[in-house]
Structure formats: C-alpha cells, structure tokens
Amino acid sequence: MTETRLSVDIYSDIACPWCYIGKRRFEKAVSALPFGDKVDVKWHAFQLDPALPEHYEGSEIDYLVQAKGMPADQVAGMLEHVTTQAAAEGLDYDFDSLHVANSFTALRLLALAKERELGDQMKEALLSAHFEQGINTGSVEALQQIADTVGLDPAESAQVLAGDKYTDEVRADGVRARELGVTGVPFFVLENKYGISGAQPSEVFEQALGQVWQEIGGDSLQMLGTPSTDGETCGPEGCN
C-alpha cells in the first residue's frame, strides 16, 4: 500500500521579505499537524525584478523609491511593518544592512541544492543571509561560502556560480508560475490543485493542509477553514 503524502510547491524569491515570513508561518503550521512529516515541500523560483543590476549601490529604501516609484515615507512605513511582522515569527530583519542585489544567481544555486536534496537548507540560508545577516547575495564569493556552509560540494557549486547552469530551470519556474496565474509571492500550491497566495497566518495554512489531507485520503480529522485573501505578498511592482 502506497503511503499517503501531501505535496506542496512554493514559488518565492530570496529577495522577498514576505516569502521568509510566509516560510516561517507555513513551517509552524506543518509542525502542528499530526501528518506534518508527510508533507513534501519543493521550492520554485519566482524572480521579482529580473532587471535589477547584479549589484545595486543604494539602500533598500533607495531601490524601492527609485525603481518602484514609491514615496520614501511609504517605503519606510512598509519596512517598519514587515520588520515587526518578521520579529513575531522569530526573524531579525536588518534593512539598514541589506544589500540590494539581483537574485538570479542565488536562485540558480538553489536549483543545484534542490537536486542534491539540500533545497530547504539552502533556501533558509539564502533568506537569512539576505534579510538578517547583511550578506551580499549577489556576490559569487558570498554565495560560495553559503554553499559550503549548507554542505554542497565546493567544486560543483563553484562551477555553477562561474557559469550559467540551471538558467533554464529558474526561467521554467517563472513560466510555470505565470501559467498558474501567480502575480505575487509567496505562493503555495497544494497537491498541484489548490493555491494559497501570500504569507497567510499559520492557522490558515494548518486548516488548508488539513482539508487537502482529508481529501487525498489522510486519516486525520477534517479541518475547516477558508484561506483569507489578504495574505501579504511581494510582486513585480513591490510588496504590500
């Protein structure tokens, strides 16, 4: 008899503040479920700003003001809000030290890590490096250090960082996301059938996972609840 398992595909960018918060809230939900060890997560790339230079000289506020056309006071308020929300999930965001950088190379490195069954570890390391540690995730040298810490083969990760391997995989994720109608991240797809948009509260993820688990033949009690439509996301035009 085949074991019942629940698949979750998560589309996100390592430069998305709500993606890290959503990751924590989702993980909290999974850990609270009796079948949490039967939830299989696969990370997918969704690059918010492909046009961003490999290295951007300004701050996060400068970037959002200049690139997204947002007023400086609105940006400052938004960053304060997201920092508070992150802290509630045990995350220590430091936007003053954050390096604005194109995420494409980091997403290619994540694709390698996924193949080596280190996707979860790499995703966590990249998000923490970007939002908490002030590490330049657009730097090949910094990414090599992260890869070494996660446990990837140094020579293999160096080869990926020096070339363009996994470019097609990252772009294919973006194409698939658009086919699904994804316009903002994080975006969660349960059993390739149900979509949840945004960094929803943990209770919403828990309810949704419980409903799908019941549908696919899991043995837990059915949990009722409808995901809210106001989960925070980041899109090409900015974060809400």
Side-chain angles (χ1 to χ4, degrees), residues 41-224:
V41 174
K42 186 175 181 180
W43 294 101
H44 298 275
F46 186 96
Q47 193 179 24
L48 290 169
D49 189 357
L52 185 64
E54 185 173 341
H55 301 287
Y56 181 86
E57 295 302 323
S59 67
E60 180 79 343
I61 290 181
D62 294 334
Y63 164 65
L64 292 173
V65 169
Q66 296 173 11
K68 306 302 180 183
M70 300 171 65
D73 58 345
Q74 180 183 345
V75 171
M78 181 191 74
L79 296 184
E80 181 179 356
H81 171 67
V82 76
T83 299
T84 299
Q85 294 296 309
E89 305 303 330
L91 302 174
D92 185 19
Y93 280 11
D94 184 359
F95 284 105
D96 290 337
S97 300
L98 185 148
H99 289 266
V100 181
N102 191 297
S103 62
F104 196 81
T105 301
L107 292 172
R108 289 194 301 106
L109 185 63
L110 176 61
L112 167 64
K114 289 192 299 182
E115 280 198 358
R116 300 297 174 261
E117 298 185 353
L118 291 169
D120 287 344
Q121 296 90 323
M122 178 59 74
K123 185 70 174 183
E124 177 68 25
L126 290 170
L127 286 165
S128 180
H130 188 73
F131 287 108
E132 297 183 303
Q133 302 174 45
I135 294 174
N136 184 356
T137 52
S139 162
V140 169
E141 292 78 12
L143 290 173
Q144 182 67 60
Q145 291 179 359
I146 293 172
D148 294 346
T149 300
V150 166
L152 286 173
D153 177 80
E156 187 175 35
S157 53
Q159 183 181 36
V160 170
L161 292 170
D164 61 359
K165 192 174 182 180
Y166 297 106
T167 290
D168 291 343
E169 287 81 352
V170 172
R171 289 177 176 165
D173 275 350
V175 170
R176 177 56 179 158
R178 288 190 291 275
E179 290 174 348
L180 291 170
V182 177
T183 57
V185 289
F187 194 91
F188 304 77
V189 181
L190 280 57
E191 283 295 302
N192 204 33
K193 184 176 181 182
Y194 300 102
I196 301 177
S197 178
Q200 299 284 346
S202 294
E203 295 79 8
V204 172
F205 287 123
E206 191 174 342
Q207 291 167 355
L209 289 164
Q211 288 177 320
V212 175
W213 179 253
Q214 179 72 15
E215 179 180 307
I216 65 177
D219 55 4
S220 67
L221 292 174
Q222 185 172 5
M223 303 172 65
L224 300 177

